Amino acid sequence: MRGTRAQTNTGRKEGVNLNKQQKQKKETTIDSYYSPNGTEGERSANDKPEIPANWIQAVEELKTQLREAEDNWGKNLKIKISHLETEALELKQENGVLKAKIIQLENEAKEMKDEAKEMKDKAKEMKDNLKRNSDQKEKDDQKAKDEIQSLRTRVKQLESSDLTRQQDTIKQNKKNEKIEENVKHLIHKTDNLENRSRRDNLRIIGLPEDHDKRKSLDIILEEIIQENCPGKQEGKVEIERIHRSPPVFNPQLTTPRNVIAKFKNNQIKEQVLQAAKKKPFRYHGNMVRITQDLSASTLKDRKAWNMIFQKARELGLQPRIKYPSKLTIFLQGKVWSFNTTEEFQAFINKRPDLNRKFEVQQQNSRESSKGN
């Protein structure tokens, strides 16, 4: 649009200059008939033609009007052009160009007005949107502030409740530790009481199930004792109670159930147990093993010593399982006792020579198991 205005102004200036030149030619032609002293046709060649003052004033007015037309967006161009047409008929051809320029300017002005209106509408719309967004942002900010305040209040409440809960947890943990200690103590006492209640019992392992169909278990046990340790027991073998454990037979088991026998005479029970420790018992060609009957937890603790017990026996450490589940070995003229497998492993780690023997033995056991 600026380029179009510049072209329009240039055209206007060219038209004004051309008009001036034509006026000068016309004035010179008229003056040529008169001499300086008033004689027609005689005029000095050195004298320049004079331009009338009213033409210069008209041109200046035209320039002023064109500037005002440019500044006022072409509102008064038609009035100025009409006034100029009455004053200078010679400018009709140039006025046509000016009219086209003016129409173009009017169109541009109209377009600019439309664009200005559109921009104004857009600005208003943007302003409305900004206002709405600002209002919404204020609402969101207020909502966020309220939520933050609510969260702070909840955090304080949670911190307070968490502190209370931590204190309660500490108290509860202390109670739980005390309860655990009491439970361990009670379990130990229960196991001890159960083991003591079983001190007159013997457990017979490996006795086939089919023998029960022909004879009662108390008769079978008496025959086993007479067959394997004749004349060693003092007095008659009296059995208070004898049964299979568990009481219900499971056909999926491949091994016979254990037999639990409660002796009336503890001395006879001890004689049978000592004899069973010296040699394996047999009954009708089947090997049976007789051990002390203990609680399930004690048997589990003793079972944990099986592998270590076997290795210690192979190394000649003379291992023994003492009541309730303590391992003892004989080493360097001393008897060493261990309550857990961890204690025994720490003892072995402190003696490199003994530890190497255990590692070699363990490696041999692995190779033999792979070969099998």
Side-chain angles (χ1 to χ4, degrees), residues 63-249:
K63 289 181 180 180
T64 303
Q65 291 172 0
L66 288 174
R67 290 190 190 98
E68 291 177 355
E70 183 180 3
D71 296 333
N72 296 326
W73 297 90
K75 293 181 180 179
N76 299 320
L77 286 176
K78 291 182 180 181
I79 298 172
K80 297 295 181 180
I81 292 170
S82 297
H83 183 68
L84 289 172
E85 285 179 348
T86 59
E87 290 181 353
L89 297 175
E90 294 84 357
L91 297 176
K92 288 183 179 180
Q93 185 176 0
E94 289 81 359
N95 287 341
V97 177
L98 290 174
K99 286 180 180 179
K101 298 292 183 181
I102 291 169
I103 292 170
Q104 185 178 2
L105 286 173
E106 288 178 347
N107 294 331
E108 292 178 356
K110 186 178 180 181
E111 290 178 358
M112 290 178 66
K113 287 181 180 179
D114 295 338
E115 291 179 358
K117 184 178 180 181
E118 184 178 357
M119 291 178 68
K120 185 177 180 180
D121 294 338
K122 288 183 177 179
K124 184 178 179 181
E125 184 180 357
M126 290 176 66
K127 185 177 180 181
D128 295 338
N129 291 334
L130 287 172
K131 190 174 184 306
R132 285 195 299 270
N133 293 335
S134 178
D135 295 340
Q136 185 64 33
K137 187 175 181 301
E138 289 179 358
K139 292 180 181 179
D140 294 341
D141 291 343
Q142 186 62 37
K143 185 178 179 181
K145 289 179 181 178
D146 295 340
E147 291 179 353
I148 290 171
Q149 185 63 32
S150 176
L151 289 173
R152 286 177 178 173
T153 304
R154 291 182 62 186
V155 167
K156 289 182 180 178
Q157 293 175 354
L158 288 173
E159 288 177 350
S160 177
S161 61
D162 185 61
L163 180 61
T164 304
R165 191 163 47 249
Q166 287 180 358
Q167 293 175 353
D168 294 340
T169 302
I170 293 172
K171 293 180 181 178
Q172 188 61 39
N173 288 336
K174 291 181 179 179
K175 290 181 180 179
N176 291 340
E177 290 176 358
K178 189 173 181 180
I179 290 172
E180 288 179 359
E181 292 178 359
N182 293 335
V183 168
K184 289 180 180 179
H185 178 68
L186 291 174
I187 289 174
H188 177 71
K189 288 189 70 175
T190 302
D191 289 341
N192 187 38
L193 290 173
E194 184 177 356
N195 289 327
R196 289 181 181 277
S197 67
R198 295 169 181 260
R199 62 184 177 179
D200 295 333
N201 295 357
L202 286 181
R203 182 181 292 265
I204 298 94
I205 303 171
L207 183 65
E209 298 274 350
D210 56 355
H211 292 310
D212 300 1
K213 299 177 181 179
R214 296 190 295 269
K215 296 178 183 179
S216 61
L217 289 174
D218 54 348
I219 296 175
I220 293 174
L221 178 59
E222 189 174 353
E223 291 179 353
I224 291 173
I225 294 173
Q226 291 177 356
E227 181 179 350
N228 292 277
C229 49
K232 290 187 178 181
Q233 71 277 8
E234 297 179 358
K236 184 179 179 181
V237 178
E238 296 182 358
I239 305 299
E240 181 177 337
R241 185 174 60 253
I242 187 169
H243 63 276
R244 291 274 186 180
S245 179
V248 180
F249 176 70

Side-chain angles (χ1 to χ4, degrees), residues 224 227-229 272 274-283 286-290:
I224 291 173
E227 181 179 350
N228 292 277
C229 49
V272 174
Q274 294 300 324
K277 289 181 179 180
K278 295 179 180 179
K279 68 173 184 177
F281 281 18
R282 291 184 175 274
Y283 181 68
N286 297 314
M287 183 177 293
V288 294
R289 188 160 60 92
I290 297 179

Side-chain angles (χ1 to χ4, degrees), residues 220-343:
I220 293 174
L221 178 59
E222 189 174 353
E223 291 179 353
I224 291 173
I225 294 173
Q226 291 177 356
E227 181 179 350
N228 292 277
C229 49
K232 290 187 178 181
Q233 71 277 8
E234 297 179 358
K236 184 179 179 181
V237 178
E238 296 182 358
I239 305 299
E240 181 177 337
R241 185 174 60 253
I242 187 169
H243 63 276
R244 291 274 186 180
S245 179
V248 180
F249 176 70
N250 186 359
Q252 295 181 354
L253 294 177
T254 58
T255 58
R257 293 172 293 168
N258 294 343
V259 176
I260 308 298
K262 182 176 178 61
F263 288 74
K264 290 184 178 181
N265 191 328
N266 183 263
Q267 293 181 354
I268 296 177
K269 188 267 301 184
E270 287 295 332
Q271 291 177 6
V272 174
L273 182 61
Q274 294 300 324
K277 289 181 179 180
K278 295 179 180 179
K279 68 173 184 177
F281 281 18
R282 291 184 175 274
Y283 181 68
H284 291 181
N286 297 314
M287 183 177 293
V288 294
R289 188 160 60 92
I290 297 179
T291 63
Q292 175 68 45
D293 183 34
L294 298 170
S295 65
S297 60
T298 303
L299 290 175
K300 183 179 179 181
D301 294 339
R302 287 195 171 199
K303 188 176 181 180
W305 291 110
N306 286 347
M307 184 178 295
I308 295 176
F309 186 90
Q310 184 65 28
K311 292 179 181 179
R313 175 179 287 179
E314 293 175 358
L315 292 175
L317 298 178
Q318 302 177 15
R320 295 288 184 273
I321 301 294
K322 289 191 174 182
Y323 178 84
S325 57
K326 182 184 295 185
L327 176 70
T328 62
I329 61 172
F330 186 79
L331 179 64
Q332 297 176 352
K334 289 184 179 181
V335 177
W336 304 84
S337 299
F338 308 97
N339 292 319
T340 62
T341 56
E342 289 78 8
E343 290 181 4

